[in-house]
Amino acid sequence: MSLADVAGAGRLPDLTGLLDTCQVGGFRADFVSWGFYTKPAWRNYWHRHSFHEVCLAYTGAGRFSVGGEHHDVGAGEVFVARPGDVHEIESSREDPLGIAFWGFTLRGGREAPGPDERGWWTGLTDPAGPVVSRRTGSLAEVVTALAGYADPVRSGYDAGLAGLGAALVVDTARAFANEDDLQVEPPPRDRPSQVVAVMRRHLADNLGRPVRVRDVAATVHLSERHAERLFREQTGTSLMATLRRMRLELAAALLLDTGPTVTEVARACGYPDVRAFSTAFRRLHGHSPLEHRARSGTLHL
């Protein structure tokens, strides 16, 4: 469903009480207004607010005036009145302006960013910044998703709405920020390290089950040889050696509970043969499983 469809169906309800506030980037955003202006032609006379009022045009044309400036606006544009800005919005009579609007305050966090501190929020905090933008990003999709989460209200709506509210604030600010202020150093994306993390997670999730190199390699869509080589390069040890250590470390923790027998602990850690388990345990920890339990795991100290 498009934003125009949502507006036509009147599906963006008053979110007051559903999404009143959210945390985003060290700021607290408090939402104060929501809604649509649609046909017929309308006019929002000169006024001002103590909050940011944002309008996303999805159809038609009109004029947005702020201070002594007049801007022709239309579908695909977003415009903002910052706190204290005296402004007016007038829809075209021939082609009525359709907008979704939302209002919010932005509190706490960063005030006036320094020369070495820039980011998405500068689009809202700079009073001399642009007031009309065509960089709408995902605003239409976020507003549409908000409507879906709010009508009907279902379990989990609060978490979903809070996340969407944060996205709405960020995308709003990005629309008016200087492009240079949006540039950040991307986080490292070292694919081999992520692949190894997936393999380690597979081992950890299957400590009590039979595991072969083939199984682990399949989870990351690599050949057995490539997976083994990559894992060894990243960790300094083989997949099966890592699996054995993880199993025996789990066993050491489980033995501190006097409930399960040594045989039950062995099986829970992937050792169907208790003798093989005891031998491997002693080799790693320096004492038998029974000694480990008797001394509450402190014998090795």
Side-chain angles (χ1 to χ4, degrees):
M1 180 176 287
S2 69
L3 183 56
D5 294 332
V6 173
R11 291 190 59 236
L12 184 59
D14 182 358
L15 295 177
T16 303
L18 298 179
L19 177 56
D20 291 333
T21 187
C22 70
Q23 297 293 322
V24 51
F27 292 99
R28 170 178 160 171
D30 293 323
F31 295 97
V32 298
S33 64
W34 305 92
F36 288 104
Y37 280 167
T38 55
K39 298 179 180 180
W42 52 274
R43 183 175 182 179
N44 193 335
Y45 291 93
W46 291 97
H47 62 288
R48 65 182 176 186
H49 301 293
S50 59
F51 53 87
H52 290 85
E53 182 181 64
V54 187
C55 302
L56 176 63
Y58 60 87
T59 189
R63 185 174 70 171
F64 174 55
S65 301
V66 56
E69 298 181 350
H70 305 283
H71 305 272
D72 292 329
V73 292
E77 291 182 304
V78 59
F79 44 102
V80 61
R82 296 179 175 85
D85 286 351
V86 178
H87 61 284
E88 178 186 62
I89 311 170
E90 185 175 4
S91 168
S92 165
R93 294 189 176 277
E94 295 75 21
D95 188 11
L97 182 67
I99 63 168
F101 68 87
W102 54 94
F104 60 90
T105 60
L106 201 62
R107 305 181 186 280
R110 309 160 182 85
E111 302 211 354
D116 298 323
E117 187 182 12
R118 297 282 186 258
W120 58 267
W121 62 90
T122 59
L124 297 174
T125 58
D126 183 2
V131 296
V132 179
S133 174
R134 295 196 65 85
R135 293 186 298 158
T136 57
S138 302
L139 286 174
E141 290 80 3
V142 172
V143 173
T144 302
L146 281 165
Y149 263 88
D151 183 21
V153 174
R154 298 176 131 190
S155 173
Y157 76 90
D158 48 352
L161 287 176
L164 290 168
L168 185 70
V169 173
V170 171
D171 273 3
T172 297
R174 282 177 172 175
F176 302 101
N178 186 295
E179 188 62 35
D180 290 340
D181 290 340
L182 300 179
Q183 301 306 309
V184 297
E185 191 69 28
R189 292 177 178 264
D190 187 348
R191 175 164 171 74
S193 293
Q194 291 187 6
V195 168
V196 168
V198 171
M199 289 193 280
R200 287 184 64 89
R201 173 56 60 186
H202 182 83
L203 296 177
D205 289 343
N206 292 276
L207 294 179
R209 303 183 66 258
V211 177
R212 290 179 288 183
V213 172
R214 179 198 67 181
D215 308 328
V216 183
T219 65
V220 290
H221 308 289
L222 296 176
S223 68
E224 294 181 44
R225 185 175 181 179
H226 188 184
E228 184 68 78
R229 178 178 60 79
L230 190 62
F231 192 89
R232 188 182 291 273
E233 287 176 354
Q234 295 278 321
T235 67
T237 187
S238 69
L239 279 162
M240 292 300 101
T242 300
L243 176 63
R244 285 192 294 271
R245 174 173 285 276
M246 293 171 76
R247 282 173 166 170
L248 295 172
E249 289 174 347
L250 172 63
L254 294 178
L255 285 166
L256 299 181
D257 181 354
T258 57
T261 66
V262 171
T263 299
E264 289 170 337
V265 169
R267 289 174 178 168
C269 297
Y271 284 88
D273 183 345
V274 71
R275 288 188 178 182
F277 166 69
S278 296
T279 300
F281 191 93
R282 182 184 292 276
R283 186 179 297 120
L284 178 64
H285 295 291
H287 50 265
S288 72
L290 286 177
E291 290 173 315
H292 182 84
R293 170 170 281 174
R295 302 296 183 90
S296 299
T298 61
L299 186 63
H300 65 283
L301 296 178

